[in-house]
Amino acid sequence: MLNDPRTVRITGDDTAAVFRRADDAEAEKDAEKEAAERPDEDRGTPVPEAYVWSNLTSGNGSRALWLLLLPFMVVNLAHWMRPTARDNRVRTVRLYGLLVRLAGLTLTVLLVAAACEVALDLAAWQCAGTSGCAREHSWLGFLSPAGPDAGWWSQPGRRLALASLVPAALTGLLWYLSHRTWSAYESQQPIEYGPEPDEVSSRAGLGRPGFWYGRRLVARLRAAHTAAGLLTILAAVGTSAARYDRAAGGPPVLDALGRIMEATLVVGGAVVLWVVCRRGRSENRLDRHIDAALVRWLPIGSLLLLAATLLYAGWSRPAWGSEHRLPGGGAIFGSIALVQCLLVIVLGVVARLLYRAHPDPRTAMRGLAGPAVAMLACALGGVMSGGVAQRVADWLDGTGGTIEGPPVLLTWQASVIPPLLIVVLVLVGWLARRTVRLRRIETAAVGLDYRGEPADTERTRRIAGMRAMAALTDRAPRIVGITSIVTLLLGALALVGALTTDETPDEAANGSYAVVQGGAQTAQALGSWLIGVGFILFVTWGRRAYKDPSARRTIGILWDVGTFWPRAAHPFAPPCYAERAVPDLTWRMATWTSAKSGRRLVISGHSQGSVLAAAAAWQLKPSVRRRVALLTYGSPLERLYGRWFPAHFGPDALSGLHREVDCWRNLYRATDPIGGPVRLPGDCGPQVDREALKDPLAYGRTKDHPLPAPILGHSDYQADPAFAEEREKLLARLRPEVPGPRPDNGPEEPQEPQETRLEPTTM
């Protein structure tokens, strides 16, 4: 329909809109007129519509820069991967959310600390303070105390104060992006309605009024994380100057100012922690209130403290020189790594307690998916920050040996990447072996599905191979679990090695066995190289995923899952498109059904669109939800969301949705790596899931398919005759065939037989 030149936009904007063919719009007007003239006659022509939301998740190649915030998005996912909990586990659920928010806060501090490492330590402190490095980079000449252009900025404190503008600008950019994207994407208010007698069961999970409106929490977290970033810069600049004043026995005034600065740093950190710990999400009501004073003055107060610290650090100290690395850098990164490891371990204990109280064998990793993903988020943050620092150090140290480079912990973290890759390669080999075995099993199944057809060995192998590859999706929990455990162990090993030796891996291995020394040198060099190459490939693939439809179908689904959820754990994560799409759909569905009594609709959704369709249906009041039929195809509702996000898409939630809508049918293929059956328990499953569709539609050449039929996998479900068949059944079910009973208080208004099909589609 969208490729039809007659298609027009009937409501919405350039970001997301509802489209309909022009002749259908005219037909609806004629139907309205006819309904007024002849109200007793049945008119059953459906009105198809399409809700297009592709611009919320795709666009030009510049959006690939959002991938730089991937650790923030991943840790936000960990918040929503909480196992299903009973009502008596409220405190445990709150503790789970608190631990994830604290993990997100450490990632913000880590990112800003990495920017401080690059700008303050490597550039302003080490390179500008070393004559050889400063000569190689003339743009640092005015900062060098040994150069001919040495002047006012050559003192270490002033160099640090000037360089601190770089991480401060980064922090300001993160604040701006979070604020701007919230206004563009997430400020849409959900529809409100009064309570209904049978609404008790529907006020759970994604059906809560405030679920898609997290304005208050995001504003609080944005203020806290912005303040944390500014305080991190304050710590890097101010503590270095205070440490020198105490050691050198300088003027008492400077020593007192340094102690006051350190005290304000502690107080500011305590306030940030209080804000992060004090309040989680408020979903049971639409919370429009914003803590205006806190949101405004916490970042402003931190900025004023930073400005005062920069003035303090810039005070003249002629005898102060910059040698070795910037003091305190290794302690900051070591503390962050230690806190992250402890948070992940405690989070795993809490998640396990929740799972044991309400176990479900389909839940990914037996409830430990959230801690595992949080561990991977911390690892991504460490690799990205360490990779940037290592690459900048290599660039500045072009002549070799002029600067000492980043803290040894970052070098240790880079050195554990090769062993981690070996584990990943072993897992890939296991998957390949598993795929071969599955293909052999599926070869026999293909023969049964297409019995009576002339045998074609190559055709059978291709179909069986597609089915085997599609089944690998169900092995993802094991891969993620093993990778996260190995990452935690290797990260702990890197932290212990850096703290105990205070040397890089190759230096620490000097004097040991030749094989140990060679392995340490190889791991260190290879890890540094892999970080650089991986960072370039990361951005390149991300840009390709936004511009290339074929790449988007493989990479984009993971990004769509990550940005589907509201920003509950990290305010700097990429924006949540569902906070715009779900209210859009809910408003359209509610206004359609309320415009005339008795209106019905079928909402169909493919892939991620089926998740939006279900989320919008949950937001409707029960009386409207009973007039809605769902048609999902290629849907990850159970296969991905039900397993990885059981608290909101588990069997209880999906069974409740099935009971509350008029009807629900689901289509899937064995060759689809994303979509699958809904797998509702009891008699619900057969009512919802149609048996797996044949793919391809024809094994060989037939009268209806004279050319070889393609293997469709996740795409083109509407080309299958089963789609039209199920759609017509739903429309016929909703279309009134006989007049309804007349109530005692008067004649019933005739039902409007028009239906609409709102179709969220990933474009």
Side-chain angles (χ1 to χ4, degrees), residues 625-699:
R625 200 179 300 128
R626 286 192 293 267
R627 288 186 275 163
V628 173
L630 282 178
L631 177 58
T632 56
Y633 44 101
S635 173
L637 272 170
E638 195 280 336
R639 193 176 192 182
L640 294 181
Y641 284 84
R643 300 190 66 190
W644 292 91
F645 308 98
H648 298 90
F649 287 95
D652 293 341
L654 294 180
S655 297
L657 180 63
H658 173 254
R659 290 191 301 268
E660 293 163 0
V661 297
D662 183 88
C663 188
W664 181 7
R665 293 292 284 168
N666 179 64
L667 309 178
Y668 67 98
R669 300 187 181 111
T671 55
D672 190 341
I674 297 171
V678 179
R679 300 179 189 271
L680 294 185
D683 296 334
C684 298
Q687 296 177 21
V688 173
D689 291 320
R690 180 171 175 141
E691 63 180 8
L693 304 181
K694 281 190 175 182
D695 188 30
L697 290 173
Y699 182 82

Side-chain angles (χ1 to χ4, degrees), residues 598-619:
R599 273 185 170 179
R600 307 292 197 267
L601 64 87
V602 174
I603 178 168
S604 68
H606 171 247
S607 190
Q608 193 69 15
S610 66
V611 184
L612 289 178
W618 262 310
Q619 284 286 308

Side-chain angles (χ1 to χ4, degrees), residues 108-119:
T108 297
V109 175
L110 177 62
L111 175 66
V112 179
C116 292
E117 172 61 28
V118 170

Side-chain angles (χ1 to χ4, degrees), residues 98 101 220 272-280:
L98 171 60
R101 292 198 301 274
R220 287 174 62 94
V272 169
L273 287 175
W274 176 82
V275 173
V276 173
C277 299
R278 180 66 179 85
R279 182 184 177 87

Side-chain angles (χ1 to χ4, degrees), residues 485-529:
I485 292 174
V486 174
T487 301
L488 177 62
L489 295 177
L490 291 177
L493 176 63
L495 180 60
V496 172
L499 294 179
T500 56
T501 65
D502 196 25
E503 296 177 332
T504 60
D506 62 340
E507 293 174 347
N510 284 335
S512 62
Y513 295 104
V515 64
V516 175
Q517 186 173 354
Q521 293 175 349
T522 302
Q524 181 174 326
L526 186 59
S528 176
W529 180 81

Side-chain angles (χ1 to χ4, degrees), residues 150-170:
W152 193 84
W153 290 105
S154 61
Q155 292 190 19
R158 295 169 183 174
R159 278 187 268 145
L160 294 177
L162 181 62
S164 66
L165 297 180
V166 174
L170 174 63

